[in-house]
Amino acid sequence: MSGTGEPSATQSLLAYLRPVRLRRRGAALALWGEAGIGKSHTALEVLRLGELRSHSFPARTPLSDLALQLPRPRRLSLWSQTQLDLLQRGEGAGQDHIRDLLCTVLVGLAPVTLLLEDLHELSPVQTAQVASLARAITGLRGVALLVTSRRLPPAPFEPHHLGPLAEPAFAALLEAELRAPLPPEASRWLIQRARGNPLFGLESLRYLARQ
């Protein structure tokens, strides 16, 4: 919990994923924040704690590649298997058809979370395709789509902002990296320099250690 009594991003995401694990609903979730703030680490921690099967890809991966690179479910209709075979051979298919085929694969793997990292790198057209996938997934019981981004994601994603670490947590992170207590002057300098950003704080600590 934060100092204000509000749940952390990790706790909020876990609350959304709990009914997904129980196959009661689908979910489209986004973890967003500035570079180096710990989005990938937090996302992986959420998936570990949420006890959900998961598959991770860069967000720029085409939907067709996602459908082909995910494991094929054991119980997949003959029609779906045929469509995947056609896709594997490079035979043309529209984006809506590919999206629906990907959803069929995900339902066969449920309960499952698909993690797509760095949504902010996509073009507007690519972002719209992922948003279309997200809309479809919200109606699939036992399936969740989780994306990370440096920017506030579009609808229908449920956004969860990851902000800077509070000073006690930031100091604990640095001391865990150093494996020793930090001198107060060094701790204050690092906190002021990194402004609660874990990646920048660790880079600054390593810079100090090299001096």
Side-chain angles (χ1 to χ4, degrees):
M1 301 290 282
S2 67
T4 61
E6 297 177 352
S8 68
T10 298
Q11 291 168 323
S12 296
L13 287 167
L14 286 172
Y16 273 88
L17 288 176
R18 194 168 297 115
V20 175
R21 180 168 58 84
L22 297 174
R23 298 176 187 253
R24 293 177 179 171
R25 57 168 289 180
L29 309 168
L31 186 61
W32 71 284
E34 65 183 76
I37 205 68
K39 298 181 294 295
S40 294
H41 172 80
T42 301
L44 293 174
E45 183 71 0
V46 165
L47 295 179
R48 184 185 68 83
L49 294 173
E51 299 178 341
L52 271 167
R53 177 190 305 156
S54 62
H55 302 277
S56 304
F57 299 89
R60 62 179 178 275
T61 307
L63 299 189
S64 57
D65 288 357
L66 294 176
L68 293 173
Q69 291 178 30
L70 285 168
R72 284 203 186 188
R74 293 182 179 178
R75 296 181 180 179
L76 198 63
S77 70
L78 179 60
W79 182 87
S80 296
Q81 292 184 44
T82 301
Q83 296 304 305
L84 286 171
D85 291 339
L86 291 173
L87 195 61
Q88 183 77 58
R89 294 200 294 268
E91 299 192 17
Q95 283 298 313
D96 288 350
H97 176 74
I98 293 173
R99 177 204 62 210
D100 293 344
L101 186 58
L102 173 56
C103 286
T104 299
V105 172
L106 289 168
V107 168
L109 297 172
V112 66
T113 298
L114 177 62
L115 171 61
L116 300 180
E117 297 214 55
D118 298 324
L119 186 70
H120 58 273
E121 293 182 351
L122 303 190
S123 68
V125 171
Q126 293 170 318
T127 301
Q129 291 172 355
V130 175
S132 176
L133 174 64
R135 282 191 291 273
I137 282 177
T138 57
L140 305 178
R141 293 186 179 185
V143 180
L145 174 61
L146 174 60
V147 300
T148 63
S149 179
R150 294 181 187 176
R151 296 191 294 267
L152 182 66
F157 286 102
E158 181 69 32
H160 298 263
H161 184 249
L162 191 61
L165 290 177
E167 286 193 15
F170 189 79
L173 173 71
L174 298 178
E175 292 187 353
E177 172 72 13
L178 193 61
R179 298 183 181 179
L182 267 174
E185 301 81 8
S187 181
R188 283 193 296 270
W189 182 82
L190 289 165
I191 289 171
Q192 292 171 1
R193 180 181 176 85
R195 298 181 179 180
N197 185 301
L199 179 61
F200 297 162
L202 291 173
E203 288 178 346
S204 298
L205 178 63
R206 290 162 189 154
Y207 169 79
L208 280 181
R210 290 194 298 268
Q211 302 308 304

